Amino acid sequence: MAIGVKVMQRPGREASYMRATLKGMALTFRHLFRRKVTMQYPEERSTETWTLSPRWRGTHRMLTDEQGRSKCVACGLCPQICPANCIKLVPGEDEEGNRYPLIYEIDEFRCVFCGYCQEVCPEEAIHVGVHYENAEYERGRFVYDLERLSAQTHPVSSLWDPTDPRGE
Amino acid sequence: MTPELKGFVLVAVVKTAAVFTFLMLLVAYSTLLERWIASWMQDRIGPNRAGPKGLFQPIADGLKNLLKEEVIPDGANKVFFVIAPAISLMAALIIPLTIPWAAPIPLEFDMTLPVLGRFVHHGATPATVTVLPIGFLWVLAISSVGVYGIALGGWASNNKYSLLGGLRATAQMVSYEVAMGLSVIPVLLLVGNVSFVEIVSVQQQGPFSWLALPLALSAFIFLVSGFAETNRVPFDMPEAESELVAGYHTEYSAMKFSAFMIGEFTGMVTISMMFVTLFLGGWDIPFTHWDEAGGMLQVVATAGVFFVKMLFFLFLFMWIRWTLPRFRYDQLMALGWKIFIPMGLAYILYIAVALWLVDGPLGAASTALRFGLLFLFNIPVLVLVFRVLDRGRLIRGVSVHLPASASRPARAV
């Protein structure tokens, strides 16, 4: 029992339990017929009120040129900037002196999806993608190699543009 | 056995099977209805995956519960742990058998079956499994057996949350049983009989003779006590998932848990049926006497009307559940002992005096006049309860009024 609690002398219409109950019941009854907000996920992936943002940073994608070779020139900027240290890059060089990645792997478990790799890439090769369904049966499958990164088809992230902060 | 006795047994068995099947189906689908209403009231869609529109959900739930592992905790009292859900389920299931759910069924047959011999049945048979002359007294008695199931289950689990849930259930159900018992005494005063069949037949005598009007406060107390009896929100202290894990059925799994659940839902159905029978005319179709003529069509129509009335109360149970928060325990006990029991007692006296006035000095000749006058007597009572008492007195807030001298200046903590 509280000591010295100030008790508000409220008018009857506010103190009445029955009236409050009926009011609450009217409210819940109105909600019975409201439009439902549930999105039926596997069938329905976006509604008019909710879509994935074009700035979403998800699973990576490596873009390729017309000949189907990856655009990466193995400059080493992305492993350098990566805060999670999840990119493994071993550079190689062909007879003409063009650099290309011998090994390019991203550990999607370590990745924090900051998008720095995309920002720093001079060739616009590595991108974070607008994609989020990447469940696998084994942990090993989360290390994406170059072939798999290039084979992805989902849209790439448009990242945040400082000249257009609101995305207009 | 004589052919007449055989006919009687046959009819009784068929009626029992029908009521039992109907009850189990209704309970199964009321779990689905509960989940639908919960989700609709929260702007969600609810179960819609199992079968068309989610209609096979109860079957999926039932199958799952049948196939799941039954866990009996090591420290549990095995015997009581196993019988507790059975008691709870059984007590809930036998009550609806006494409630008449349609006009008497006209049945005439005289047939000979290959092995069993000759069956004879004459005259209308009441649409209830058994016509108990002690009616709702029996219901009150059996519903207190249900407490044993919950208390035993809570105690035998050897778990502190279960025990607390069981204790709360015991205290709550015992207290509200008193209030419920007191609330039906005015019905007894007015009808002069405790048999459900008689109570329904009194309520058929013309328009406005449903007892919810002449005995309005009784109906209110009965309904609220009914919520408390079935441990439904806002009286779900025995479960109280936010404080007691799951209360008395914390340790129960698979079909034993299901049995408790079926018991709870059957309890809801029972209270709905009882309320409809006692206060809303049972299977009576208002404003017509056509339904009393007898005949198969009337049976179907009255059963339908009864079902609709009952369904409304089932809906009300769920509606309230998803509207109100749970009471505090002291509020619950105060409402039961300090409000409903004195109120019920006073109302019995009041109705007795009112009845004496109506029948004696005022000399009401017809039933309609009698019930109408009684309703007039109820108006001041309703005003008193819902306008005067219902100002923070029915359900008290957390703080109490203190005299000025007792209140001290707040000290820094």
Side-chain angles (χ1 to χ4, degrees):
Chain A
M1 220 169 276
I3 297 168
V5 170
K6 187 181 173 192
V7 176
M8 302 291 288
Q9 288 296 339
R10 289 179 297 173
R13 67 177 183 283
E14 286 175 23
S16 164
Y17 188 82
M18 284 312 294
R19 266 179 273 180
T21 304
L22 293 177
K23 228 160 104 185
M25 284 169 76
L27 181 78
T28 43
F29 195 78
R30 280 201 300 278
H31 271 273
L32 274 182
F33 308 105
R34 282 258 183 98
R35 257 188 51 135
K36 309 302 172 208
V37 294
T38 311
M39 197 170 103
Q40 297 278 313
Y41 162 61
E43 291 96 28
E44 227 184 336
R45 276 145 199 278
S46 57
T47 59
E48 60 266 37
T49 50
W50 191 89
T51 46
L52 209 54
S53 161
R55 273 159 44 186
W56 175 273
R57 302 188 303 264
T59 331
H60 299 79
R61 221 189 123 185
M62 175 69 82
L63 296 192
T64 52
D65 61 12
E66 297 80 49
Q67 281 96 47
R69 297 172 304 191
S70 90
K71 283 182 173 176
C72 179
V73 294
C75 65
L77 280 173
C78 46
Q80 186 67 34
I81 200 155
C82 180
N85 207 6
C86 67
I87 304 179
K88 182 181 178 187
L89 172 62
V90 176
E93 205 175 308
D94 64 8
E95 308 84 60
E96 298 156 29
N98 295 326
R99 286 166 66 90
Y100 69 96
L102 277 175
I103 301 176
Y104 190 96
E105 284 176 358
I106 296 184
D107 186 343
E108 300 285 346
F109 261 161
R110 298 192 73 173
C111 180
V112 295
F113 299 101
C114 60
Y116 283 2
C117 46
Q118 177 176 348
E119 273 187 48
V120 83
C121 185
E123 299 293 319
E124 300 198 337
I126 188 70
H127 282 80
V128 278
V130 186
H131 182 75
Y132 52 90
E133 287 151 320
N134 32 23
E136 292 289 351
Y137 284 104
E138 296 157 39
R139 293 181 69 88
R141 295 273 297 153
F142 282 95
V143 180
Y144 285 35
D145 59 10
L146 185 60
E147 199 184 333
R148 190 151 166 220
L149 284 169
S150 311
Q152 315 250 38
T153 51
H154 54 252
V156 296
S157 172
S158 66
L159 292 187
W160 180 65
D161 183 0
T163 60
D164 177 22
R166 284 165 182 277
E168 286 153 352
Chain B
M1 289 209 297
T2 61
E4 283 79 16
L5 184 59
K6 274 199 219 163
F8 171 76
V9 170
L10 180 70
V11 168
V13 166
V14 167
K15 278 195 294 195
T16 314
V19 169
F20 183 73
T21 315
F22 170 76
L23 212 58
M24 290 318 273
L25 272 177
L26 185 65
V27 164
Y29 275 91
S30 57
T31 58
L32 178 62
L33 191 67
E34 166 107 59
R35 292 169 65 181
W36 270 344
I37 286 172
S39 50
W40 293 340
M41 285 183 172
Q42 297 166 353
D43 293 347
R44 296 184 287 115
I45 293 177
N48 66 346
R49 294 294 160 133
K53 297 265 164 204
L55 278 172
F56 296 158
Q57 189 68 42
I59 302 168
D61 286 344
L63 265 180
K64 186 193 83 173
N65 271 331
L66 273 175
L67 297 175
K68 272 178 85 171
E69 183 190 358
E70 300 251 4
V71 180
I72 299 183
D74 253 357
N77 183 324
K78 306 244 166 7
V79 179
F80 288 143
F81 189 80
V82 174
I83 15 180
I87 294 178
S88 162
L89 178 62
M90 212 165 55
L93 276 177
I94 41 182
I95 298 174
L97 301 187
T98 58
I99 292 170
W101 37 267
I105 309 165
L107 261 187
E108 289 284 342
F109 60 83
D110 182 350
M111 58 183 180
T112 310
L113 291 179
V115 183
L116 301 166
R118 188 156 163 256
F119 291 84
V120 176
H121 190 90
H122 292 299
T125 177
T128 159
V129 173
T130 164
V131 185
L132 267 191
I134 52 170
F136 65 66
L137 291 184
W138 189 77
V139 170
L140 288 176
I142 296 298
S143 70
S144 37
V145 173
V147 183
Y148 285 93
I150 290 177
L152 267 184
W155 173 71
S157 301
N158 196 13
N159 169 320
K160 53 180 173 277
Y161 298 117
S162 300
L163 180 63
L164 278 174
L167 284 178
R168 283 181 174 190
T170 319
Q172 170 183 333
M173 289 170 85
V174 168
S175 349
Y176 279 87
E177 217 140 72
V178 182
M180 186 183 254
L182 289 178
S183 75
V184 286
I185 290 179
V187 177
L188 177 59
L189 282 177
L190 191 53
V191 178
N193 203 320
V194 286
S195 154
F196 285 125
V197 178
E198 282 304 309
I199 292 169
V200 172
S201 75
V202 164
Q203 295 183 78
Q204 288 170 335
Q205 301 169 353
F208 307 115
S209 58
W210 290 2
L211 297 184
L213 284 181
L215 301 175
L217 192 63
S218 266
F220 176 70
I221 297 179
F222 185 87
L223 191 64
V224 178
S225 312
F227 274 82
E229 270 305 87
T230 49
N231 302 323
R232 291 286 294 187
V233 174
F235 300 98
D236 68 334
M237 314 310 282
E239 280 183 57
E241 60 271 17
S242 48
E243 48 207 76
L244 293 184
V245 190
Y248 62 92
H249 54 53
T250 306
E251 298 287 356
Y252 282 90
S253 53
M255 213 48 212
K256 291 209 224 32
F257 169 76
S258 236
F260 271 129
M261 263 354 230
I262 296 172
E264 181 184 326
F265 275 87
T266 317
M268 273 164 60
V269 173
T270 309
I271 295 292
S272 309
M273 281 178 163
M274 291 254 299
F275 190 89
V276 168
T277 308
L278 289 177
F279 297 106
L280 286 186
W283 46 265
D284 179 40
I285 304 175
F287 309 115
T288 170
H289 282 284
W290 168 81
D291 56 334
E292 289 144 49
M296 249 4 240
L297 190 60
Q298 277 87 342
V299 171
V300 175
T302 49
V305 166
F306 183 78
F307 183 65
V308 169
K309 287 182 193 173
M310 190 189 61
L311 217 53
F312 171 76
F313 281 94
L314 269 183
F315 173 69
L316 186 75
F317 267 96
M318 294 166 190
W319 188 3
I320 298 260
R321 166 156 186 195
W322 298 103
T323 302
L324 291 183
R326 189 181 302 130
F327 282 143
R328 227 170 43 227
Y329 199 67
D330 65 307
Q331 287 175 328
L332 170 100
M333 278 309 181
L335 185 70
W337 288 101
K338 293 189 194 160
I339 307 281
F340 276 169
I341 291 178
M343 201 192 261
L345 280 170
Y347 194 62
I348 293 171
L349 277 180
Y350 186 80
I351 284 298
V353 172
L355 257 180
W356 175 75
L357 279 176
V358 168
D359 288 343
L362 295 173
S366 72
T367 319
L369 190 59
R370 205 166 158 234
F371 283 20
L373 283 173
L374 263 184
F375 176 62
L376 291 184
F377 272 104
N378 264 282
I379 291 171
V381 177
L382 294 179
V383 170
L384 178 76
V385 172
F386 293 113
R387 284 210 71 103
V388 182
L389 281 181
D390 189 18
R391 283 173 187 236
R393 291 185 186 90
L394 282 185
I395 307 290
R396 276 192 188 279
V398 73
S399 49
V400 289
H401 295 264
L402 289 175
S405 59
S407 62
R408 287 179 212 134
R411 267 175 296 176
V413 181

